[in-house]
Every structure is written in C-alpha cells, then in structure tokens.
Amino acid sequence: MEKTIANKTIEVSDEVYLLNFSDWNKELGEGIAQEEGITMTDDHWKVIDYIQHQYKNDVPLTIRKIGKSGVVDIKGFYSLFPEGPLKKASRISGIPKPVSCI
Amino acid sequence: MWHKNIFDFYTYEGAKALRNKLREWEGGKLVIHITEMPIKCPVAPLEFAFLADSFFKNKGMRDKVDITFVTPLDGAFTKPKATEALHYLLEEKGIKEVTDFNIERVDYENNKIIDYADTEVEYDLLVTVTTNMGDALIERSGLGDDLNYIPTNKTTLQTEANENIFAIGDCTNLPASKAGSVAHFEAEILTENILRYIDGRELKEEFDGHANCFIETGHGKALLIDFNYTHEPVTGSFPFPGVGPLTLLKESRMNHMGKMAFKWIYWNMLITGRHLPFVTTKMQEAGKNFD
C-alpha cells in the first residue's frame, strides 16, 4: 500500500515497513521515528547507520548482533528504541521487518 | 534449578527430565520461553505449548495450569496469514502470549525471567529454549560467525569463506529454518552444485528456502505448513494441488495421521536416501491460496 511520510509518498508493507529501501532518506527516517514516538539524536543515527550497513551486506540482524556491534549495547538499544527496539529501528532504517518462520 | 524447575527439550537429557517432571507436577505457572532466534525448529516451542494444553486436559488438571508463551518475536505467529489463520488456537487453548521479550536474566530466588525492558514473567515451571549455536567445530575452524553459523550463499549453498567449501543444514546462516526438511531440500541442490563446481561450470542459484513441517496441535489434530524465502505459509492443499489429502495452515485429523505416517517415511525413506514421491525440492506454488 501507499503511505505519505515526511511529504513523501512511498510503498509500504501491511505492517508499514518500506518496500523499497531506495526510497529511504533521512527526513523519511525522521518521519517514521516521529510515528514511533522517538526523537532522533546522534546516538540513534549511529545505530541506524550500522543497521543499514548490515542490511546492504545481506547480514541478518539480531538483537545480539546489535549488542555486539560496538555502536550500542543491548540495554542502550532498548533505551534508544523502547519496546521492540529491533522492529522500530528496522522501520526507521527503511529495511524489511526482521524475519521469522510462521 | 536446571532440570528441577527449569528445563530444555532439545536435548535427550532435557526432554527425559521434563517428561519425568510433568508426570508428577501438580500445576502452577508453566512458562514456555524462547531465548533468541534462530532456534532449531521455530514452531517446536509452540507445538510444545499446544501439546501441554492437551496433556493437562487429558490428566484432568488443565484448570490448575496457567500456560504462557514468551517470545522475542512480536507474536507466537508473526507472519500475517499465519496469525490470521492460527491465532484462534492460542485463544481456544487459553495460552497467553508475552511478546518482544528479550531475556536479560533469570531471578532464580523469585522464579522470574526478566527482559531488557524490565518486563517480568513469573514461573513455577520454566521450559526454555536456550541460545542455539552451530557446532563447536565450526568455531574452531574459524568459518563461523558469532553463533558458529557459516556465512553461506542462500541460493547456491557455497560458503563465503571459500569457493570449495559448501554448507548444508543447521550450520549455515541462511534465513531459513534450522530444520530437517530444509536440509533435505538443500541436499539435491548441494549435490548438483558440488558436481558443477568440480566440472568448472556455473552454480545453480536454485535453493528457494523451501521448508515443510507438521505442527501437532493436540487432541489428535495437526497443522501442516509449506513455505520458502519469499512465500509465507498460506492455506491450500498438499501435496496434490486442489486435492490434498493434507490441508495447509489448517488444523485437521488428517494432518495428524500424516505426521504419524511420516514417522515411517522418515526412517524408511528419508534416512535411507530414497526419493520422496510428490514432494518437490522447490516449493510448489499450485494449490496454494496466494493473494
């Protein structure tokens, strides 16, 4: 479906994750963060950069991996993106929802 | 605490100890918990919850048992179609869900598990799925990532470590289940690609992440799911399009019979390396209700 965030109309999944990573820009990330009730700071962006970098290299993301990234520890990740940090950070990063089986 | 009021079931010792515990347990809070993904079979903990409900009902003590399913994911089912088709099972069986729970520690004194967001879940009996890792051999070889999984091309099964190393099954980092059916479907493509590699030919980018499994739902019924990297489990018929006799993503007695029959198939056909008729390596799209 289509959705307008930060004055940009983009294709998103039913759960409102970007369908095309190429649509992403910083303003859009900021807009999604606002929807999630998060005010972005430099620390937030460092995590988003890390996540996008991993995504571009086809590395599956887990909370463990982010905790060991050297960018943020798990506790810190939770305080930056409270309640479901991996999902929220993935949405803001413009990447698909982290996968599972069923 | 281990094997006294906290159990695993993916090891023989754990499963046996848990069986003995369940025989004498008088009830209370049963918590089924997944530490982190990926695990061996993503649906096994859910299957355990369904069977526990059935087991305690049969023992006439279901009212004494409170069952909670605790997962790091955002639901017991996370894919939209499966959630829609199967969420009623949890409601019907009175299984509570605690989602997005990433465990930080266990409070052994007060019998609680606590996550990074400080959510607490109390238990009397904790059945947990600990972090699943690849074999220690992978760690020693230096081929693995921090969970001892080998970075592998998801369509060719060639490792990223070296072009003459291929990987199959639960030692890979593929975004697929670490389940036997996945290894089974990978095997044919792996064989083909090793032969191609030896001949210096181009590798086939054929593995589609195909997985297939039965999920026992208790009371003599089961579900069957069939899916791959791109297609989530959907409703339909299997293995013959439009005919079945098995139904996909739907509870039925026939599926349970299918699972029982599969025991024989497993030992007499799969293990002996005989070809399974009607079940294809690549996921079949006919007979499935995609949008």
Side-chain angles (χ1 to χ4, degrees):
Chain A
M1 59 178 184
E2 283 193 342
K3 187 172 161 86
T4 305
I5 304 171
N7 298 322
K8 194 173 163 155
T9 304
I10 37 145
E11 283 283 322
V12 294
S13 69
D14 292 348
E15 296 164 288
V16 207
Y17 287 78
L18 252 60
L19 288 186
N20 307 305
F21 180 60
S22 55
D23 285 343
W24 191 89
N25 60 37
K26 212 168 167 176
E27 291 71 49
L28 195 64
E30 196 101 43
I32 300 169
Q34 261 175 25
E35 286 190 358
E36 294 283 8
I38 294 168
T39 310
M40 297 297 279
T41 64
D42 284 352
D43 286 344
H44 289 90
W45 287 119
K46 276 184 203 152
V47 177
I48 300 298
D49 281 348
Y50 171 79
I51 289 176
Q52 293 181 334
H53 184 74
Q54 298 299 308
Y55 175 72
K56 285 179 201 156
N57 290 315
D58 272 337
V59 181
L61 277 166
T62 58
I63 294 226
R64 163 188 291 267
K65 196 149 262 169
I66 288 168
K68 286 191 171 177
S69 63
V71 179
V72 68
D73 61 15
I74 298 181
K75 212 64 185 171
F77 188 39
Y78 265 85
S79 57
L80 290 174
F81 305 93
E83 298 158 40
L86 193 57
K87 276 188 301 174
K88 289 194 177 178
S90 296
R91 264 198 79 206
I92 298 168
S93 302
I95 69 167
K97 186 178 170 185
V99 289
S100 63
C101 154
I102 179 166
Chain B
M1 306 302 148
W2 192 241
H3 295 176
K4 290 202 173 63
N5 65 345
I6 304 179
F7 295 84
D8 63 315
F9 60 70
Y10 278 112
T11 61
Y12 173 68
E13 296 75 28
K16 202 169 126 191
L18 178 57
R19 177 199 66 176
N20 293 341
K21 176 74 179 184
L22 289 176
R23 281 180 176 168
E24 60 178 41
W25 194 49
E26 287 171 0
K29 296 190 183 86
L30 169 64
V31 172
I32 298 141
H33 163 252
I34 300 166
T35 302
E36 62 181 311
M37 302 304 285
I39 59 175
K40 283 186 205 293
C41 166
V43 294
L46 197 55
E47 197 171 29
F48 180 87
F50 293 154
L51 291 175
D53 165 72
S54 183
F55 175 81
F56 292 120
K57 259 186 203 140
N58 289 339
K59 275 187 100 178
M61 55 178 284
R62 182 63 183 87
D63 57 332
K64 295 197 179 75
V65 181
D66 183 71
I67 303 179
T68 307
F69 187 82
V70 183
T71 168
L73 302 171
D74 62 357
F77 304 103
T78 60
K79 305 252 172 162
K81 295 236 165 53
T83 307
E84 197 183 312
L86 304 176
H87 203 271
Y88 80 94
L89 287 169
L90 296 168
E91 291 152 31
E92 190 183 276
K93 295 172 194 300
I95 298 167
K96 293 177 201 147
E97 275 176 291
V98 175
T99 59
D100 296 306
F101 186 97
N102 285 285
I103 190 163
E104 185 182 14
R105 61 185 196 277
V106 182
D107 178 347
Y108 295 107
E109 277 172 23
N110 300 303
N111 292 343
K112 278 189 228 172
I113 48 174
I114 300 161
D115 94 331
Y116 284 99
D118 296 323
T119 309
E120 298 184 348
V121 178
E122 289 182 12
Y123 63 84
D124 295 308
L125 180 59
L126 176 64
V127 176
T128 186
V129 181
T130 54
T131 297
N132 183 62
M133 295 177 71
D135 197 274
L137 136 83
I138 304 297
E139 186 177 10
R140 291 197 299 275
S141 72
L143 290 172
D145 60 15
D146 60 345
L147 285 173
N148 303 347
Y149 299 135
I150 306 173
T152 304
N153 182 295
K154 68 179 195 175
T155 57
T156 64
L157 306 178
Q158 185 177 45
T159 67
E160 285 165 23
N162 211 325
E163 59 172 30
N164 66 356
I165 304 177
F166 289 76
I168 183 172
D170 60 3
C171 70
T172 73
N173 76 336
L174 302 195
S177 297
K178 307 226 169 286
S181 70
V182 176
H184 174 83
F185 295 126
E186 284 169 344
E188 282 180 40
I189 288 149
L190 181 90
T191 313
E192 168 81 23
N193 274 345
I194 291 175
L195 293 174
R196 282 171 171 254
Y197 174 76
I198 292 169
D199 291 345
R201 287 183 294 150
E202 204 180 320
L203 302 184
K204 266 191 175 172
E205 297 186 343
E206 277 231 317
F207 186 62
D208 64 353
H210 188 190
N212 176 296
C213 69
F214 288 104
I215 307 169
E216 286 289 315
T217 50
H219 305 289
K221 291 184 188 172
L223 301 162
L224 177 66
I225 55 173
D226 196 51
F227 58 101
N228 66 13
Y229 288 142
T230 45
H231 289 301
E232 61 174 303
V234 291
T235 53
S237 48
F238 187 90
F240 303 108
V243 176
L246 304 177
T247 46
L248 292 170
L249 208 58
K250 217 172 174 181
E251 224 189 350
S252 78
R253 290 195 183 278
M254 188 55 123
N255 287 340
H256 173 69
M257 310 277 281
K259 171 126 188 174
M260 293 296 113
F262 187 72
K263 278 188 188 172
W264 186 89
I265 294 172
Y266 181 82
W267 293 107
N268 295 283
M269 294 185 78
L270 278 183
I271 295 295
T272 55
R274 281 198 270 163
H275 183 71
L276 273 195
F278 321 123
V279 179
T280 51
T281 300
K282 286 178 93 171
M283 193 193 80
Q284 190 173 271
E285 297 194 7
K288 293 195 170 77
N289 305 320
F290 300 115
D291 284 336

